[in-house]
Amino acid sequence: MASGYRNGVHKGGTVKVDRPVSAPPSSLRPSSSFKSHRPPPPVRRSSPSSLGGASAKYDVSVSGRVRVAVRLRPRNDEELEADADFADCVELQPELKRLKLRKNNWDSDTYEFDEVLTEFASQKRVYEVVAKPVVESVLDGYNGTVMAYGQTGTGKTHTLGRLGDEDTSARGIMVRAMEDIIADITPETDSISMSYLQIYMETIQDLLNPANNNIAIVEDPKTGDVSLPGASLAEIRDQQSFMELLRLGEAHRFAANTKMNTESSRSHAILMVHVKKSVLGAEAAFSYENDNPYQSVNNFKPPVIRTGKLFLVDLAGSERIHKSGSEGHTLEEAKSINLSLSALGKCINALAENSAHVPVRDSKLTRLLRDSFGGTARTSLIVTIGPSPRHRAETASTILFGQRAMKVENMLKIKEEFDYKSLSRRLDIQLDKLIAENERQQKAFEDEIERINLEAQSRISEAERKFADALERERVNCQMDYMESIKKLEEKWVLNQEKHGKNGFTNGSYSGEAHVGAVNEESEVKMLLQNEINLRKAAEEEINILRNQLSDSMPSEAGGDVDVVKLQRLLDDEVCQKKRFEEEVMVLRSQLSQLTFEADQNGRLARGKSGNSFTGVDPPSHPRHSPVKDVVNGHMASITNLHEQVGLQKIFSLLESEDPNVRIHAVKVVANLAAEEANQQRIVEAGGLTSLLMLLRSLEDETVRRVAAGAIANLAMNEANQEFIMAEGGIKLLAMTAADAEDPQTLRMVAGAIANLCGNDKLQMRLRSEGGIKALLQMVRCRHPDVLSQVARGIANFAKCESRVSTHGTKNGRSILIEDGALSWIVQNSNNEASLIRRHTELALCHLAQHEVNAKDMISGGALWELVRISRDCSREDIKALARRTMISSPTFYAELRRLRIDL
C-alpha cells in the first residue's frame, strides 16, 4: 500500500482521525513527580580566572539513569468487539509502579518501571512525570531526550505529538514542553530555535523544507558530538509561531493505512530544540558598587550563557507483516523501520550489559541518538502498550525493551560559555564614560594650569611694582641727604672763611692761633665728608641687598615653568596614589558586599506579602507548601479575634508593662494588627500610633524598637496617618532610631517608614528640616540588600514628589537630594544587581532629570551616562522610554549628548 503525507492528502489511503485517550476520573490522585527524590550532587565549576581561551566553558558531569515510564492504551473499537470474551493481557499496579503480563489464566510475569500510567492518565500527567524533568534540565544547560517507543497503534504520536487544536487538554509532550520553555526564558537575552526532521528509509529529511531530503550527519572528531548543519533552523518567538511550524512539519510526514492503524507513521520524527539562556549569578556578576570608571573596568566579567538541546523523538511503530498487512512500498517501509528499531535495541542491549562495543553506526537513528543512550543527555523513555491478548508477544517485546533501557547510565554534563557580545556592549558604554571623564579631567587640568599662570604673573607684576616704588623712594632719600650734606658743608666753609679772614691775618700779618683753628676746622670738615661717604656706601649696599632679595622673591618665567612642571608631577602622583587606594577599597568592598549578601540570603527572614508591608512577628522563610500558608493565615485570624475579644485599649496598656516579655508580645500583636489595612484606622483612633511613638522615644530594647518601627511603617502607608506622625515628632524619633540601631531588620523597618513618608508632597520640607532625608541617606552604611532597597524606594518617592511639585511651578532651585549629597549614591546603585534597588534608583534618576536646574549637577556627577544606559539596557520599557524622553526634552542634556556624539 502506497504511503502518503501525514495530515495532508493521503496517497491511496484514508485520512487518520486521532483517537483521544480516555480522560481520568476526578477521584484519581496524581502521582508524584518523575524527578529523582534525591537532589543531584552540587555542581563544581572551575574558577573563571583559570580558564584560558576566547570562550571558556564549564563541563561538569552528573550521573543519571535513563528513566522509563509505561503507558497503557485503552481498548479501541475493534478490540472491544474482537476481544470481548478475553481478559486484558496486562494488569497495572500504578501505586507500586509495576505491571503484570499474563502468560495464561494462572501465571504472569511482573515488571517494575519508574512510572506506570493507566489508560485513564491525562496528557498533562504524562507530561509532568515523563518530560517535565527533562525540560527543566535543558533550561539548566543539559541536553535532554524524550522518546516514545512501542508497537504501531499504541498511542506514541498521541502521547508525543498531539497538537490539541480542538481540545487543549489533549496537547502532547511537544506542545507542552515548548510552552514551559517559552515561559521560562527572557526574550531580550535568551533565544530558542528548532529543527524538525524525519528518518525515512534511512534518509534524513527536513520536514520544514521538504526539498532538503538528504541531510548528512557530521561528527566532531574531538568531542564526538553529532550535528546536522544542513537542517533548517527556525527561530521561535512565541507559542503561535511554534505551532505553525509544527503543523507544517506534520503535514510533510509520511504515513500509511495498515490493518494495525488507519494512519501509521512510516518514519521516525525528531524535533530538536536549541535553547540559549543567560545566567544571572556569581559567574555573571557585574559590579557597579563604585562608579569610579578606572576601578569598574577591572570588575567586568562576561555574562554566562547556558546552552541546552532537547530531542523529542516519535519513533515509528514496530509491526509484524502478517498482522499489519503491509505490501509493496509499505512493506519496504516496514522493513526499514524494523531494521532501525532493531539497531536501536542492539545498542541498548550493549549499553545495559556494559559491552566494550556499541554498534551506534548500524543506522542513522542510533547515530543521532548516541548522546541519549550512554551519552551526556538526561533521557526519559515512554513505552506504549496495548491491552489486547492478541498482541501479547509485541507487548512483551516492548516491555523488555523498556526494562533493558532502565539499565543504561548517562553522564549528564552542563555546558556554559561566556557571552562576550554583551560584555562588548558594556565595555563600549564604559569606554564612552572613560573618554568623557578624560576630557573633563584634561579640561580641568588646563584650567588649573591657566589659573596658576595668571596667579604667577599677577604676583610678579606686584613684586616689580613694589620694587620700583621702593627704589624710587630710596633714590629720593639719598639725593635729599646728599643735598643736605652739601648745604651743611657750604655753611661750615663760609663760617670757616669768615673766621679765617678775621683771626688768621691781622693787619697783613699771619696769626698762628688762627692757622691752628683753620686746620682743625678743615680736619672736622674732612671727617664729616668721610662719614657722609660711608653713609652713602652703606645706603647703596642696603639697596643692593634689598634688590637681590626682591629678585630672589620674583620667580622668573623659566622658574615659573619649573614650578608648573613640579606641580603637575605632584598632581599626577596624587592621582595615581588615589587610584591605587580606591582600587584596594573597591576590592575589599566588593568582597565584603558579596559575603554579606550570601550570609543574608541564607539567614533572611520572611517578609510580608509586599515590599511595603512589615509584620511584627518574625516568620520563617516562605515555604512553597500551602499547609504552612494556612497556618500563617490562621495565626493572623487568631490575632484579629484576640483584639476583638480583649479590646485595643487593654492591648495598648500592655505596651507600658514592666515585664519585658509582656511588652514584646503586646507590641508584636499591635504590629500584626497594623499589617491589615482594615485595622489601621481603629489603631490610630484608639491612640495606638501615639503609644508606638512613645516606645521609640523611651525604650532601649532592640526587639521592641524594631517591631514598633515596622508597625509605624505599616501605618505610614495611609496619608492621613503620615501627617499625624509628622505632628507627633515621628520623623525625629525615626531618625534617632536609625542613628542608634545596628540591626539590619530594625533599619529596614525604619527605612520603610521614612520611605512611605517620602511619597507625600506636603511633607518634603519638614522631612528635610527634621532630619528624615539625612537619616535615610545615613542608613546606607548598612549594606544589607533589604535596607538598601527601602532607602532606594524612599529616594525614588521623594524625587517623584519633587518632580511633580517642580512641574506645577511651586518649587524652584536644585533638588534637595542633590544638595544633601544623595546623587553619588544613586548613580553608584543605578545598575545594582538587586532588581528592587536598581529599579528604584533608575526611577529616581529619571525624576531628577526632569527638572532642568538639576542637569548640570547630574552631568558632572556621571548621571548622564546612567541615563543613557537606562535608555538602552533597562528591562522595563516604561523606564527606558522615560529616560530617553527626559534627555531629549532637556536642552542641557541634549547639548551634552551632541557634544559627546552620543545617539539615543
Side-chain angles (χ1 to χ4, degrees), residues 100-109 392:
K100 292 183 178 181
L101 180 64
R102 292 192 178 92
K103 295 181 179 179
N104 45 48
N105 292 335
W106 58 86
D107 192 11
S108 62
D109 293 328
R392 183 192 177 282

Side-chain angles (χ1 to χ4, degrees), residues 228-296:
L228 300 172
S232 300
L233 193 64
E235 291 289 335
I236 303 300
R237 300 180 304 274
D238 49 31
Q239 188 70 12
Q240 182 179 0
S241 62
F242 169 72
M243 295 296 291
E244 292 174 357
L245 293 173
L246 202 59
R247 292 189 188 95
L248 177 63
E250 288 294 321
H252 294 146
R253 188 177 176 188
F254 284 100
N257 187 8
T258 67
K259 292 182 181 180
M260 299 293 293
N261 195 354
T262 57
E263 190 176 355
S264 176
S265 301
R266 314 311 293 169
S267 65
H268 308 300
I270 302 174
L271 176 65
M272 295 189 299
V273 181
H274 304 266
V275 180
K276 288 186 176 181
K277 187 176 180 183
S278 62
V279 181
L280 299 177
E283 298 88 349
F286 189 77
S287 175
Y288 282 96
E289 186 69 26
N290 191 341
D291 198 38
N292 183 358
Y294 302 100
Q295 173 63 20
S296 57

Side-chain angles (χ1 to χ4, degrees), residues 31-36 67 69 115 117 123-140 142-147 159-160 172-181 183-184 310-312 378-382 624:
S31 66
S32 61
S33 173
F34 187 55
K35 286 184 177 179
S36 175
R67 312 286 292 179
E115 288 291 340
L117 303 169
Q123 293 281 74
K124 179 179 180 181
R125 171 167 166 70
V126 173
Y127 168 74
E128 289 180 348
V129 301
V130 175
K132 190 168 184 177
V134 178
V135 173
E136 291 175 348
S137 297
V138 171
L139 292 173
D140 289 337
Y142 297 92
N143 291 342
T145 302
V146 178
M147 185 169 66
T159 299
L160 204 65
I173 289 175
M174 289 183 179
V175 179
R176 295 178 185 269
M178 187 57 67
E179 287 179 349
D180 283 356
I181 292 174
D184 190 76
L310 175 63
F311 277 69
L312 299 173
R378 183 183 294 276
T379 302
S380 288
L381 173 67
I382 180 168
R624 294 185 178 179

Side-chain angles (χ1 to χ4, degrees), residues 358-397:
V358 180
V360 295
R361 295 185 174 273
D362 288 358
S363 72
K364 292 189 176 180
L365 175 64
T366 54
R367 289 182 68 188
L368 280 178
L369 298 180
R370 66 182 300 175
D371 192 44
S372 304
F373 293 95
T376 62
R378 183 183 294 276
T379 302
S380 288
L381 173 67
I382 180 168
V383 295
T384 56
I385 59 177
S388 175
R390 291 182 297 161
H391 305 303
R392 183 192 177 282
E394 289 80 357
T395 302
S397 176

Side-chain angles (χ1 to χ4, degrees), residues 34-53:
F34 187 55
K35 286 184 177 179
S36 175
H37 294 289
R38 183 166 53 191
V43 177
R44 297 181 60 191
R45 296 181 173 84
S46 302
S47 173
S49 60
S50 64
L51 298 175

Side-chain angles (χ1 to χ4, degrees), residues 224 349 360 378 425 513 530 642 801 822 858 898:
N349 287 340
V360 295
R378 183 183 294 276
R425 290 194 299 270
E513 184 178 354
Q530 186 65 37
L642 176 65
C801 290
M858 296 185 70
R898 291 190 62 184

